[in-house]
């Protein structure tokens, strides 16, 4: 096996698959995924050999800011979609989730080194805000025409083992875009000017995924009766507090939140890694890595949850626009602005978090999770068609979701 395949990128999909010397079954699977999207995949990545289908489910019962919304979620993890449907049902009568959001402000950084006096350079840059705005806005006249463009310039002097550096932030309203291209273009164009003004050497010019000026806050209130009573609320509060004070638990708690967020982001063609890095960096903003959500007891014994995090998502540009399934998913959600998409995604993250906390603090997650996972195990054991449910039901009834047991049951069925 060699990973050096010269001219691989010049082959078509069929030829690439032949080069990989796969089993007939694997080659067939990959070429089938490539039929509808082969050409698209070819334009989206280098050396495309097909696509990687991920199940797409729709979360029901979700209500955000007084409007119902059906939420497509792309995820390989069983129980993620079901958990959102279930959590959303328990707060639907209480009007679902409400949200607040900042303007869609993205930050790009320009790093400046070798400065004689970084503090003098900093004042010099801040005095040039008007020129900086003119230069940046000129690069994206459509964005400016629609009401976006450069909003602010910030600068920090940071000490490091390689000497002091000046870090300039441009803060740009990117409207309905995720904004990476817009701000990166501006940062690259601005850098030579900054170098000339400060006498320093500019190095990195790139957006920050810690998009902490582009935040969404989702809030939900559960009636105690809807969630199983006061004891369940108290258990959830204890579980949530654990994630606030302990980074080991916080990582898992936040992973659960991102189960929902990344699934909607992926379904809408957004950059899931940008969201993940922004969320985790934001979770550590006070120096300790903490839960992204907070839960407390509200009036009349209710359970109130909030989730605040950066939400750099767009509906124009990038894969969102190019991918027909992303477009179809936006249509399912009736999304017309990036702002609404950001709010719905945050709401889903909060609902996902509630679902996990409630299960963990009561029956544990394995019961529900394994019931759904049993089908994967049945498929992995070779079950097909009707056999899948028969084998999965058997595994659940035995309380043992294991591949060896699935194989034995499958052989029995076939005999
Ligand atoms: C599993 O994908 C997610 C959970 O671990 C989240 C959590 O522990 O809060 C269930």
């Amino acid at each position: 096996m060699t990973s050096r395949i010269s001219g691989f990128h010049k082959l078509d999909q069929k030829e690439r698959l032949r080069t990989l010397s796969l089993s007939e079954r694997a080659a067939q699977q990959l070429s089938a995924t490539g039929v509808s999207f082969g050409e698209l995949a070819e334009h989206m990545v280098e050396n495309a050999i097909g696509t990687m289908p991920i199940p797409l489910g729709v979360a029901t019962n979700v209500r955000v800011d007084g409007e119902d919304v059906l939420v497509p979620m792309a995820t390989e993890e069983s129980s993620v979609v079901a958990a959102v449907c279930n959590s959303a049902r328990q707060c639907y009568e209480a009007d679902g989730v409400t949200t607040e959001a900042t303007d869609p402000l993205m930050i790009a950084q320009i790093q400046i080194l070798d400065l004689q006096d970084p503090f003098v350079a900093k004042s010099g840059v801040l005095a040039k805000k008007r020129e900086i705005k003119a230069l940046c806005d000129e690069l994206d006249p459509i964005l400016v025409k629609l009401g976006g463009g450069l909003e602010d310039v910030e600068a920090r002097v940071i000490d490091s083992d390689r000497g002091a550096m000046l870090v300039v932030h441009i803060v740009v309203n990117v409207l309905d875009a995720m904004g990476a291209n817009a701000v990166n273009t501006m940062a690259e164009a601005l850098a030579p000017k900054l170098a000339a003004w400060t006498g320093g050497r500019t190095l990195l010019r790139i957006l920050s995924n810690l998009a902490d000026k582009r935040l969404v806050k989702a809030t939900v209130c559960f009636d105690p009766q809807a969630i199983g009573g006061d004891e369940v609320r108290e258990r959830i509060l204890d579980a949530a507090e654990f994630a606030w004070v302990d980074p080991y638990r916080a990582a898992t708690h936040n992973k659960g939140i991102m189960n929902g967020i990344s699934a909607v982001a992926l379904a809408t063609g957004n950059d899931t890694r940008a969201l993940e890095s922004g969320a985790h960096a934001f979770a550590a903003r006070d120096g300790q890595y903490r839960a992204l959500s907070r839960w407390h007891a509200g009036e009349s014994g209710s359970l109130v949850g909030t989730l605040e995090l950066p939400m750099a998502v767009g509906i124009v540009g990038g894969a969102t626009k190019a991918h027909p399934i992303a477009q179809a998913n936006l249509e399912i959600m009736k999304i017309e602005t990036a702002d609404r998409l950001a709010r719905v995604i945050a709401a889903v993250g909060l609902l996902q978090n509630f679902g996990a906390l409630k299960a963990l603090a009561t029956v544990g997650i394995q019961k529900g999770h394994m019931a759904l996972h049993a089908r994967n195990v049945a498929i992995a054991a070779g079950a097909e068609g009707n056999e899948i449910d028969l084998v999965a039901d058997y595994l659940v009834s035995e309380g043992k979701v294991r591949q060896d047991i699935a194989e034995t049951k499958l052989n029995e069925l076939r005999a």
Side-chain angles (χ1 to χ4, degrees), residues 77 80 249 252-257 259 353 356-357 360 365:
E77 185 169 335
V80 161
R249 172 58 204 151
T252 322
H253 177 103
N254 292 342
K255 187 272 182 184
I257 291 172
N259 274 346
N353 182 223
L357 288 176
L360 289 166
I365 64 153

Side-chain angles (χ1 to χ4, degrees), residues 240-247 249-251 253-254 257 282-283 285 288-294 307-308 353:
E241 189 62 13
F242 180 15
W244 184 254
V245 295
D246 176 32
R249 172 58 204 151
H253 177 103
N254 292 342
I257 291 172
F282 191 70
R285 67 194 176 283
Q288 179 177 330
Y289 183 84
R290 295 184 185 282
L292 285 162
S293 63
R294 296 236 68 185
L307 169 67
E308 187 175 37
N353 182 223

Side-chain angles (χ1 to χ4, degrees), residues 328-346:
N329 287 336
L330 288 173
E331 192 180 318
I332 293 173
M333 298 169 92
K334 310 231 178 306
I335 291 285
E336 281 172 4
T337 62
D339 176 72
R340 171 79 178 157
L341 178 62
R343 290 168 189 261
V344 171
I345 294 180

Side-chain angles (χ1 to χ4, degrees), residues 100-108 140 143 146-152 170-180 182-183 186 207-208 210-216 270 309-316 337-343:
E100 297 157 51
T102 63
D103 282 339
L105 299 178
M106 288 299 281
I107 298 167
D140 206 332
L143 184 70
L146 295 172
L150 189 120
E151 294 261 330
D152 202 5
I170 51 170
V171 181
V172 182
N173 185 336
V174 296
L175 301 178
D176 278 324
M178 185 274 185
V183 299
M186 289 177 186
L207 92 169
S208 170
L210 177 50
D212 62 359
K213 293 183 189 292
R214 193 178 190 178
L215 299 175
V216 182
N270 274 287
L309 77 171
M311 192 58 71
V313 290
I315 60 163
V316 295
T337 62
D339 176 72
R340 171 79 178 157
L341 178 62
R343 290 168 189 261

Side-chain angles (χ1 to χ4, degrees), residues 233-300:
R233 182 197 59 231
E234 291 304 302
R235 284 168 172 249
I236 291 175
L237 292 178
D238 288 338
E241 189 62 13
F242 180 15
W244 184 254
V245 295
D246 176 32
Y248 286 91
R249 172 58 204 151
T252 322
H253 177 103
N254 292 342
K255 187 272 182 184
I257 291 172
M258 299 313 287
N259 274 346
I261 289 179
S262 288
V264 189
L266 187 59
T268 54
N270 274 287
D271 182 340
T272 54
R273 289 82 57 217
L275 293 178
E276 297 276 351
S277 65
H280 296 295
F282 191 70
R285 67 194 176 283
D286 76 0
Q288 179 177 330
Y289 183 84
R290 295 184 185 282
L292 285 162
S293 63
R294 296 236 68 185
W295 292 87
H296 65 271
E299 281 171 19
S300 328

